[in-house]
Amino acid sequence: MSEKMIENNKVSVIGKIVSGFTFSHEVFGEGFYMVDVAVNRLSEQADIIPLMVSERLIDVHEDYIGCTIEALGQFRSYNRHEGVKNRLMLSIFVREVHFMEEFTDYTKTNQIFLDGYICKAPIYRKTPLGREIADILLAVNRPYGKSDYIPCISWGRNARFASSFTVGTRVRIWGRVQSREYTKKISETECEKRIAYEVSISKLECDEVE
């Protein structure tokens, strides 16, 4: 696959492995496995981010819990069928992995760049404390006619800017991948804790619409 094709979706995270490997799927005899990595924020919290790793990149039968790794790849989405509904699942598809002995520069632990298209109208809102937020859904093209659908969240000035985007606008985003817990109501009596993944935007640019 040409490098040119994947310039529009680049992510790198550095963190500690916090789970074992679970089998995800197989493509042409190559097994892919999921593993969770805890990536520190500057605020002492950590984002728990799922990685999808080929068995050809790492020995998936080893126990690496507690090891620090750097993973480079793409942020990808796929639809998982749950009964009658589809659920958008997100993970980092890993192309390179490096084990690290020690790590100190926490400003570089979580970086993503996306170049894609707005695929539904942005949702702009204010929190009770007056903080401005805009949610956008970005379609990022992949080779062979596929796309990844990546939820992104912007704040303040960026949120005001993003609220003006129309469907089809080409947007470039720099930011970080974050995880967020929320409660999903399943029925009148049942709730389930889930984790959402999104890109927290630090900088964005859009092509001027003609």
Side-chain angles (χ1 to χ4, degrees), residues 10-196:
K10 293 193 289 192
V11 59
S12 71
V13 293
I14 297 171
K16 278 203 167 106
I17 293 179
V18 291
S19 77
F21 291 87
T22 55
F23 178 75
S24 168
H25 64 283
E26 193 176 286
V27 182
F28 302 124
E30 183 177 2
F32 290 88
Y33 289 75
M34 303 301 296
V35 65
D36 287 336
V37 169
V39 178
N40 284 334
R41 295 187 189 183
L42 291 172
S43 62
E44 297 296 305
Q45 284 180 301
D47 291 294
I48 308 298
I49 298 172
L51 308 183
M52 186 180 288
V53 191
S54 164
E55 62 188 353
R56 294 178 191 173
L57 278 182
I58 197 167
D59 183 351
V60 295
H61 305 295
E62 284 283 323
D63 178 4
Y64 294 113
I65 289 175
C67 294
T68 298
I69 63 162
E70 177 183 33
L72 309 173
Q74 295 167 277
F75 202 28
R76 289 194 174 177
S77 71
Y78 67 96
N79 276 316
R80 189 166 81 192
H81 304 294
E82 293 189 349
V84 291
K85 287 205 175 95
N86 277 343
R87 192 164 149 211
L88 190 70
M89 308 297 292
L90 292 150
S91 62
I92 293 176
F93 182 80
V94 178
R95 296 193 166 278
E96 277 181 53
V97 63
H98 309 283
F99 283 88
M100 304 180 79
E101 284 302 311
E102 56 179 296
F103 186 72
T104 51
D105 186 356
Y106 286 104
T107 60
K108 305 250 181 359
T109 54
N110 188 334
Q111 298 175 310
I112 186 167
F113 168 73
L114 298 171
D115 180 350
Y117 298 86
I118 300 291
C119 57
K120 69 182 208 188
I123 299 166
Y124 173 83
R125 62 192 192 280
K126 281 189 177 177
T127 67
L129 295 173
R131 199 171 184 199
E132 297 172 282
I133 302 173
D135 294 304
I136 59 179
L137 188 64
L138 202 67
V140 180
N141 293 337
R142 235 195 261 178
Y144 314 115
K146 290 188 172 169
S147 296
D148 292 296
Y149 296 94
I150 313 289
C152 305
I153 186 163
S154 55
W155 316 88
R157 215 161 42 100
N158 281 339
R160 282 199 298 283
F161 181 39
S163 68
S164 66
F165 295 165
T166 52
V167 171
T169 304
R170 184 178 174 186
V171 179
R172 286 172 294 284
I173 281 170
W174 291 260
R176 49 178 298 138
V177 178
Q178 65 181 23
S179 63
R180 176 172 53 82
E181 269 199 359
Y182 69 101
T183 305
K184 170 91 173 170
K185 193 173 177 187
I186 300 170
S187 65
E188 285 307 311
T189 53
E190 243 184 311
C191 284
E192 181 181 275
K193 269 216 162 110
R194 289 189 172 177
I195 299 179

Side-chain angles (χ1 to χ4, degrees), residues 194-208:
R194 289 189 172 177
I195 299 179
Y197 304 100
E198 62 206 357
V199 172
S200 177
I201 297 170
S202 56
K203 178 183 163 191
L204 58 94
E205 291 176 353
C206 80
D207 283 1
E208 293 300 322

